[in-house]
Amino acid sequence: MNLENLKSLFIANGCTRVYVKELSANDNSKNQVYLAGDFEILNIFPILNIRSEEPGDGISERFKASLNFAWVTENGNLSIAPKSQLILYPAYPEVRFSGFLWKCQNPPSELMTQRLPGRLLFLSVARDGMVIGYVCHPTSAIASEFHNHPKDSVHGVFSIIELSGIADGRSTLVSELIRIHNLGWIDSKRLNSEGNTLPCISSNCGGYTLEAELGITPNGYSDPDYLGWEIKQFGVKSFSRLDSAVITLMTPEPTGGIYKHEGAEFFLHKYGYPDRMGRSDRINFGGVHKVGLTHHLTNLEMRLVGFDLDSGKIRNASGCISLIDWDGNEAASWSFADMLLHWNRKHNQACYIPSILDASESRKYKFGKIIKLGIGTDFQLFLQEMAAGRIYYDPGIKIENLSTKPSIKKRSQFRIKSGHLGNLYKHNEELEIC
C-alpha cells in the first residue's frame, strides 16, 4: 500500500476527502481514539443509530453511536469491524472512537493495541455511508509520503486531503442557484418519487419548486438534499428584508410522552382546542411554545430536561425536550439522542435561499440572489438557541371530521427566525451569487 493506491481505493468507493489524524500514544483500543472536542464530528462520519447510557460503576454519562466501519487491508480489501462506535461524552464534551478491533476478521491489531505515537489514521466516507479506515506505522513509506504531501485544509485534529476528480459540491450548488435566479418567475411545481413534474398548489410550494429545479425527488431519508448540502427555502415579502422570515428547521415526531404512548388522537382530545376560525368538527394543537413559558391555549410548558443553561452543555445523556402539562405529566418529548442524530446528519452544511410568491393568477416563485450558507453545527448550539427562546416549537397538528370519520394531520415543527441562523453554525457566509 502506498498513498496513491490508498487514495485510488477511496475514490473507487465514492469518497470525496480523506481525514488523517496523527495518533498519540493514548490513541489505542484500550483508551479509545480521540476524534473531537465537540459533536460536530457526527456531521462528517455518518452514524447508524445513537443511544444514551446512564453513568455508573466508573462510567461517565455518555452517548454511544454505532458506525458502519471497515478497515482497508494491505492488499486493498475491506474488513468489516461490526462493533465500531463513537462514544460521545457530553460533560467535556469530546468524541472517541472504540470497538474497531472487536469481531473484525482482519484488523490492524498490532498497530491499534500499542502505545505508539506518530501512527497515522486515515478515515473517509464511502458513497454508501460506510466509514473506511487505514492505519500505518510512523516509519512506514506511506507515512513519509503523507508528511510530504500537501494538505488541503485542517478540521480539528484532522488534516484533510481532497480527492481529485470529485466535483466541488459548493460550486455546483452556487452555479445551479445562479441559473434558477436568472429564470425569474417559475411556475409552482413539485417532483414525485419517480421524478415527474407535477403542479403544486399548497402554501409550502416554494421549497418544492426549488427542489424540482435542483432535481431533488421526495424521499424518506434524513440525509442532506443536494451534494452534501441541506437546502432550505424561506419566503419573504422583499429581497431587501431577509432576517425576519420564519424557517422550519426540522419536523421530528415526539419520541416520548402521552403523544407517543397514547397516540395523537388521545393527545389532541386532552391538549387540543376547538378551531379558532370557527370550522366545526375539528380540534387543533398549535401555537408558539418556548422554553420556560406556558402556552395560553394548550397550557403546556416547554422544558429542556438535562441541559445546563449556564454552561450550554448537555448534562444528562437521557435528557429531552419536553412539553409538561398542569399536573406535571409529560405530554410529549423528544430525546436528545434522537434529536442529535437527526440534527447533525442533516445540518452540517446548509444553504438558505429566499423566495417571493406571486399568487395573483397562478402560483409563481422567484428566488433571490443573496443566499445564506451555514457550515459546521452541533446539537448543543441548537439547544442553546432553544434555551434563549430563539428556536421554538410551532406545531400544526389537527383532527378533522371529528364526529364522522376522524382524519389526523401530524406536523411537529421546530422553527427559528432567519436573522438568528448564524447562531447555529460555526462558519456563516452571506453570498451574493450574481
Side-chain angles (χ1 to χ4, degrees):
M1 184 66 68
N2 59 39
L3 187 57
E4 286 306 311
N5 287 342
L6 183 62
K7 289 166 61 178
S8 296
L9 189 148
F10 284 140
I11 290 172
N13 281 277
C15 302
T16 59
R17 60 184 52 174
V18 183
Y19 296 83
V20 188
K21 184 193 177 187
E22 183 171 332
L23 300 180
S24 69
N26 280 338
D27 288 325
N28 53 53
S29 57
K30 180 179 179 180
N31 299 310
Q32 305 169 350
V33 175
Y34 176 86
L35 295 185
D38 57 31
F39 295 167
E40 187 188 342
I41 198 73
L42 300 186
N43 307 335
I44 298 172
F45 303 119
I47 59 180
L48 301 176
N49 54 62
I50 187 167
R51 67 188 188 279
S52 60
E53 185 173 274
E54 296 289 347
D57 297 327
I59 298 175
S60 301
E61 191 124 39
R62 59 192 184 178
F63 297 100
K64 286 187 173 182
S66 58
L67 284 176
N68 184 13
F69 178 78
W71 289 107
V72 176
T73 65
E74 288 301 321
N75 60 11
N77 293 327
L78 298 181
S79 183
I80 303 294
K83 298 298 182 180
S84 300
Q85 60 184 353
L86 300 181
I87 311 293
L88 291 66
Y89 297 93
Y92 301 110
E94 67 178 39
V95 179
R96 291 182 175 269
F97 183 29
S98 76
F100 42 77
L101 301 181
W102 189 21
K103 294 193 175 182
C104 180
Q105 291 188 353
N106 193 10
S109 299
E110 183 178 351
L111 285 172
M112 294 307 297
T113 56
Q114 62 174 305
R115 294 176 55 83
L116 177 64
R119 296 157 294 159
L120 295 180
L121 176 64
F122 297 77
L123 297 172
S124 194
V125 182
R127 66 173 65 87
D128 60 358
M130 175 181 282
V131 180
I132 302 174
Y134 178 82
V135 63
C136 68
H137 194 278
T139 62
S140 65
I142 194 170
S144 177
E145 288 181 277
F146 169 76
H147 290 304
N148 292 316
H149 190 284
K151 314 305 183 292
D152 293 295
S153 59
V154 174
H155 188 287
V157 300
F158 294 101
S159 297
I160 297 176
I161 299 175
E162 301 288 349
L163 297 175
S164 60
I166 301 298
D168 181 349
R170 183 182 187 274
S171 297
T172 303
L173 172 61
V174 170
S175 295
E176 278 295 282
L177 293 178
I178 292 172
R179 177 187 67 80
I180 293 169
H181 168 74
N182 289 334
L183 290 176
W185 292 105
I186 302 172
D187 289 333
S188 181
K189 59 186 176 182
R190 63 182 178 88
L191 296 182
N192 64 14
S193 57
E194 287 77 38
N196 300 313
T197 301
L198 304 174
C200 190
I201 59 174
S202 63
S203 59
N204 61 344
C205 287
Y208 286 127
T209 302
L210 179 60
E211 289 176 355
E213 280 294 331
L214 290 170
I216 301 170
T217 55
N219 60 62
Y221 306 127
S222 296
D223 296 315
D225 297 317
Y226 187 80
L227 299 178
W229 288 85
E230 175 73 356
I231 306 299
K232 289 285 187 181
Q233 169 272 344
F234 61 98
V236 296
K237 298 295 184 183
S238 166
F239 288 137
S240 63
R241 299 182 61 187
L242 301 182
D243 288 339
S244 58
V246 173
I247 295 176
T248 300
L249 295 171
M250 54 180 175
T251 58
E253 278 287 282
T255 57
I258 290 172
Y259 184 103
K260 174 67 174 180
H261 302 301
E262 301 293 338
E265 184 170 355
F266 183 94
F267 175 89
L268 281 162
H269 281 287
K270 188 173 180 65
Y271 301 114
Y273 49 85
D275 183 77
R276 291 171 62 79
M277 296 179 64
R279 288 169 289 197
S280 61
D281 227 16
R282 171 167 161 163
I283 295 176
N284 290 346
F285 180 86
V288 172
H289 293 71
K290 294 186 177 183
V291 169
L293 301 177
T294 299
H295 194 273
H296 69 285
L297 290 176
T298 66
N299 291 314
L300 297 179
E301 179 189 345
M302 178 148 278
R303 298 178 188 173
L304 295 181
V305 180
F307 181 74
D308 183 45
L309 302 182
D310 293 329
S311 66
K313 295 179 180 179
I314 295 172
R315 294 302 188 192
N316 183 349
S318 298
C320 62
I321 301 167
S322 185
L323 285 173
I324 304 298
D325 72 12
W326 49 88
D327 290 324
N329 300 311
E330 187 177 76
S333 64
W334 297 258
S335 71
F336 287 167
D338 286 297
M339 292 287 279
L340 192 158
L341 176 64
H342 188 90
W343 175 256
N344 281 61
R345 179 179 290 176
K346 293 257 310 173
H347 288 270
N348 180 46
Q349 297 185 135
C351 179
Y352 297 87
I353 305 102
S355 72
I356 293 177
L357 166 66
D358 179 4
S360 57
E361 295 179 6
S362 60
R363 299 180 73 88
K364 296 178 183 291
Y365 291 92
K366 180 185 290 186
F367 296 93
K369 65 178 180 179
I370 298 177
I371 62 175
K372 295 174 181 283
L373 301 176
I375 301 172
T377 188
D378 187 314
F379 181 58
Q380 295 189 130
L381 295 176
F382 180 95
L383 293 177
Q384 288 173 24
E385 290 302 287
M386 279 207 73
R390 291 187 284 268
I391 291 179
Y392 51 88
Y393 178 57
D394 186 15
I397 306 172
K398 64 183 180 181
I399 181 169
E400 298 176 304
N401 306 317
L402 191 61
S403 61
T404 55
K405 190 177 181 180
S407 173
I408 298 175
K409 176 188 176 184
K410 304 175 184 178
R411 188 164 178 85
S412 292
Q413 304 175 126
F414 288 86
R415 291 178 147 179
I416 192 172
K417 287 285 187 69
S418 52
H420 301 309
L421 285 171
N423 299 331
L424 293 172
Y425 299 95
K426 297 180 180 179
H427 306 285
N428 292 277
E429 184 178 0
E430 188 169 278
L431 183 65
E432 185 169 353
I433 57 177
C434 58

